[in-house]
């Protein structure tokens, strides 16, 4: 059963009623900013077509108001609906064809592709499997269960799989949803007695990408519905990709029959990125924002951010915004950005912290490090400490000299140059410096 077609007068009345309902729950300033500019253009084949002034509105509405608008429309039409938003200038009202699969709402983010993904040791196996699935959905690794902590790229993988499949075959019906969305739509179907439409939606697609499956852990009836959905898709050899924030055996209150089925295909984990991968991600994000960030600053950010890749993107966004406001991208600006995302974990970095950390790392006293002794055991750590003061704190050569008991600025310049030159050709030195940078902030040197 599909939703009926409506006249312009009926659409206007429906939308007016919806706006009356939305006004009750949405603050006036938000309503005026984001709801009032929306226009309901058409409702056809269970899809409501709405237009907004720009792409910015679509992003904000999808993020904060999608469910409220959907509920209001469904209440007014007494039909199960999905929403599709367009920029006003890009929308042309026409009657969609039932056979036109391109109108199927995949909910994929087109920016999440394999080309935009940085592959490292932490995700190499998962990436190889994802690409194989994209090239041969339903036959290679079905189902594909991917797990890892939040912010490590699982969702990016899922969107990349969907986008690649559609690139290879635009006629495929690919659907990305979160487990929470699946649950909410199931509850809506029960409430509005549209169970058949719900099942048709989920059991007649070619690829199901379902994110955050742990959300179903305590939803017994939803688990049962998903079990039958899973079986229908699997038996039809349609691809299923599932993500979770923990391994299968750690998901609480998950039916054993679901746990067993999730393990039928391939299980892969995504781990925290190593230092080199974080630097590569930062470079890519800076390129995407078309901003030029010195390697020393990227190096600093990589050293003092956590495992969450979204944090890296957040820092680059902060730098980009500051640049557009006329600020210079330097170490101090990077510190400010880091405090916004990890204030509890970020300690102030000073020359004293660096000197103390280097001393403990190499097992020598601070007094010896700052002394005039020139034994090999002391000169090398001293040069590294000076190099770190220069690259992490952007200290001038004379100020570094003062911090090291009045060393001449030419001595400091030589030390920084020596480490800078050798670090490019000596992987062991690079590893030593990276390790020091990682622990300087906390003072916990291993």
């Amino acid at each position: 059963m599909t939703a009926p077609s409506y006249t312009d007068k009926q659409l206007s009345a429906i939308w007016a009623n919806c706006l009356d309902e939305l006004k009750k729950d949405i603050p006036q300033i938000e309503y005026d900013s984001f709801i009032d500019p929306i226009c309901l253009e058409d409702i056809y084949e269970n899809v409501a077509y709405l237009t907004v002034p720009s792409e910015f509105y679509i992003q904000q509405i999808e993020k904060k108001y999608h469910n409220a608008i959907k509920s209001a429309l469904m209440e007014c039409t007494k039909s199960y609906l999905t929403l599709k938003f367009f920029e006003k200038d890009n929308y042309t009202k026409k009657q969609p064809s039932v056979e036109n699969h391109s109108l199927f709402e995949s909910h994929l983010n087109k920016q999440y592709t394999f080309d935009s993904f940085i592959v490292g040791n932490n995700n190499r196996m998962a990436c190889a499997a994802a690409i194989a699935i994209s090239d041969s959905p339903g036959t290679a690794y079905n189902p594909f269960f991917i797990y890892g902590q939040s912010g490590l790229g699982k969702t990016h993988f899922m969107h990349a799989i969907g986008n690649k499949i559609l690139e290879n075959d635009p006629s495929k019906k690919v659907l990305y949803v979160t487990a929470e969305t699946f649950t909410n739509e199931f509850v809506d179907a029960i409430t509005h007695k549209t169970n058949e439409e719900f099942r048709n939606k989920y059991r007649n697609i070619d690829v199901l990408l379902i994110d955050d499956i742990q959300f179903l852990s305590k939803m017994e009836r939803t688990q049962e519905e998903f079990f039958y959905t899973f079986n229908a898709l699997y038996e039809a050899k349609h691809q299923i990709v599932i993500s979770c924030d923990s391994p299968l055996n750690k998901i609480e209150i998950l039916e054993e029959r679901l746990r067993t089925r999730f393990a039928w295909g391939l299980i892969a984990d995504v781990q925290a990125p190593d230092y080199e991968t974080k630097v590569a991600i930062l470079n890519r994000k800076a390129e995407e924002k078309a901003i030029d960030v010195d390697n020393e600053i990227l190096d600093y950010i990589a050293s003092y951010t956590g495992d969450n890749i979204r944090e890296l993107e957040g820092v680059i966004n902060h730098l980009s915004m500051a640049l557009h406001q006329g600020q210079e991208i330097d170490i101090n600006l990077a510190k400010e950005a880091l405090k916004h995302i990890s204030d509890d974990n970020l300690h102030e970095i000073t020359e004293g912290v660096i000197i103390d950390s280097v001393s403990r790392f190499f097992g020598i006293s601070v007094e010896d490090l700052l002394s005039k002794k020139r034994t090999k055991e002391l000169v090398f750590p001293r040069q590294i400490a000076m190099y770190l003061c220069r690259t992490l704190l952007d200290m001038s050569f004379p100020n570094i000299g003062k911090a090291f008991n009045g060393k001449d600025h030419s001595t400091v310049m030589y030390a920084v140059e020596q480490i800078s030159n050798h670090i490019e050709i000596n992987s062991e030195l690079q590893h030593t410096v990276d390790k020091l940078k990682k622990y300087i902030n906390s003072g916990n040197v291993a």
Side-chain angles (χ1 to χ4, degrees):
M1 178 180 176
T2 60
S5 298
Y6 295 90
T7 65
D8 289 343
K9 185 176 181 180
Q10 288 172 325
L11 290 169
S12 179
I14 289 171
W15 189 236
N17 290 335
C18 287
L19 293 178
D20 288 340
E21 291 301 314
L22 293 170
K23 280 181 180 178
K24 298 176 182 178
D25 300 318
I26 298 176
Q28 187 65 42
I29 189 169
E30 294 183 32
Y31 177 91
D32 292 341
S33 299
F34 296 105
I35 304 302
D36 190 57
I38 303 173
C39 293
L40 175 63
E41 302 288 352
D42 200 4
I43 299 176
Y44 190 82
E45 295 181 353
N46 296 105
V47 179
Y49 295 86
L50 303 105
T51 57
V52 294
S54 68
E55 178 68 25
F56 171 77
Y57 283 84
I58 297 177
Q59 295 172 1
Q60 295 300 313
I61 292 166
E62 289 283 6
K63 184 177 181 180
K64 295 187 66 176
Y65 310 109
H66 182 278
N67 289 341
I69 296 171
K70 179 178 176 179
S71 296
L73 275 171
M74 288 174 59
E75 182 63 31
C76 290
T77 61
K78 305 302 180 184
S79 301
Y80 179 81
L81 297 172
T82 56
L83 309 186
K84 193 163 187 178
F85 291 92
F86 294 85
E87 292 183 53
K88 186 75 174 178
D89 294 340
N90 295 337
Y91 177 77
T92 302
K93 188 170 181 178
K94 59 182 180 180
Q95 297 297 323
S97 167
V98 175
E99 299 302 321
N100 189 350
H101 288 185
S102 65
L103 291 172
F104 184 81
E105 182 56 68
S106 64
H107 300 295
L108 292 173
N109 186 329
K110 300 301 181 184
Q111 295 182 343
Y112 288 164
T113 65
F114 289 117
D115 289 339
S116 64
F117 197 87
I118 298 297
V119 181
N121 293 328
N122 60 310
N123 57 29
R124 199 174 303 279
M125 176 183 172
C127 187
I131 292 173
I133 288 168
S134 303
D135 292 335
S136 185
T139 58
Y141 313 125
N142 193 28
F144 179 41
F145 184 92
I146 182 171
Y147 70 92
Q149 295 177 5
S150 177
L152 298 185
K154 302 186 302 297
T155 298
H156 191 141
F157 268 135
M158 302 184 83
H159 285 275
I161 291 171
N163 285 322
K164 186 65 175 178
I165 290 173
L166 286 178
E167 180 185 330
N168 293 337
D169 186 354
S171 70
K172 292 286 189 185
K173 284 189 173 182
V174 179
L175 178 63
Y176 166 85
V177 293
T178 63
E180 182 178 7
T181 298
F182 181 90
T183 301
N184 291 340
E185 291 187 6
F186 179 53
V187 172
D188 283 344
I190 295 173
T191 303
H192 295 92
K193 299 181 180 180
T194 55
N195 301 59
E196 193 63 30
E197 286 88 341
F198 173 84
R199 287 166 185 159
N200 285 337
K201 172 183 176 179
Y202 280 96
R203 299 182 192 183
N204 293 304
I205 55 178
D206 300 300
V207 180
L208 175 61
L209 310 160
I210 186 159
D211 212 350
D212 294 326
I213 200 68
Q214 71 276 358
F215 185 83
L216 302 186
S217 62
K218 298 179 181 179
M219 312 290 183
E220 293 184 9
R221 191 167 176 184
T222 308
Q223 284 191 44
E224 181 179 9
E225 182 64 30
F226 186 73
F227 172 80
Y228 292 116
T229 298
F230 181 101
N231 282 349
L233 293 173
Y234 185 83
E235 290 171 4
K237 299 188 183 303
H238 293 174
Q239 182 67 50
I240 307 164
V241 181
I242 303 163
S243 87
C244 187
D245 64 0
S246 61
L248 266 176
N249 59 354
K250 299 295 184 181
I251 307 177
E252 297 180 1
I253 320 179
L254 181 67
E255 287 190 17
E256 188 59 33
R257 58 180 179 174
L258 276 179
R259 200 189 307 273
T260 301
R261 279 161 175 75
F262 291 170
W264 278 355
L266 176 69
I267 298 176
D269 68 328
V270 179
Q271 300 175 0
D274 54 25
Y275 170 81
E276 291 79 5
T277 303
K278 288 167 70 174
V279 171
I281 292 170
L282 287 167
N283 264 308
R284 175 65 62 82
K285 297 299 180 184
E287 289 174 2
E288 291 174 357
K289 291 291 182 181
I291 60 174
D292 185 21
V293 185
D294 289 344
N295 290 335
E296 290 81 4
I297 297 174
L298 295 179
D299 189 70
Y300 178 85
I301 296 169
S303 298
Y304 303 122
T305 44
D307 297 334
N308 193 314
I309 293 173
R310 296 191 189 103
E311 288 186 359
L312 303 179
E313 187 167 8
V315 175
I316 294 298
N317 287 339
H318 184 98
L319 299 184
S320 176
M321 179 64 71
L323 181 65
H324 289 306
Q325 293 176 344
Q327 298 184 54
E328 181 183 355
I329 296 180
D330 55 16
I331 288 292
N332 290 329
L333 184 59
K335 289 180 182 178
E336 179 186 337
L338 287 169
K339 286 181 179 179
H340 284 301
I341 63 170
S342 55
D343 188 46
D344 291 337
N345 298 319
L346 188 67
H347 298 262
E348 183 181 3
I349 307 300
T350 65
E351 60 268 31
V353 171
I354 292 174
I355 290 169
D356 181 64
S357 297
V358 171
S359 298
R360 288 187 288 118
F361 184 88
F362 287 100
I364 58 178
S365 68
V366 171
E367 290 74 16
D368 281 341
L369 186 70
L370 300 180
S371 72
K372 295 183 178 180
K373 298 177 184 177
R374 297 193 54 79
T375 62
K376 182 179 179 181
E377 290 75 14
L378 296 177
V379 169
F380 178 61
R382 187 180 297 142
Q383 289 180 335
I384 286 183
M386 291 178 175
Y387 169 82
L388 291 173
C389 286
R390 178 67 175 176
T391 56
L392 297 184
L393 302 180
D394 199 26
M395 291 177 66
S396 67
F397 294 124
N399 284 339
I400 295 174
K402 290 178 183 178
F404 283 78
N405 274 347
K407 295 289 190 298
D408 188 83
H409 77 277
S410 61
T411 301
V412 178
M413 288 178 64
Y414 177 78
V416 173
E417 184 178 354
Q418 284 290 99
I419 300 300
S420 298
N421 290 338
H422 284 87
I423 206 170
E424 295 180 1
I425 58 175
N426 188 327
S427 59
E428 185 176 346
L429 176 59
Q430 176 73 69
H431 177 73
T432 298
V433 172
D434 290 345
K435 194 171 183 181
L436 267 167
K437 288 177 178 178
K438 183 177 180 180
Y439 291 104
I440 279 174
N441 184 55
S442 64
N444 295 323
V445 181

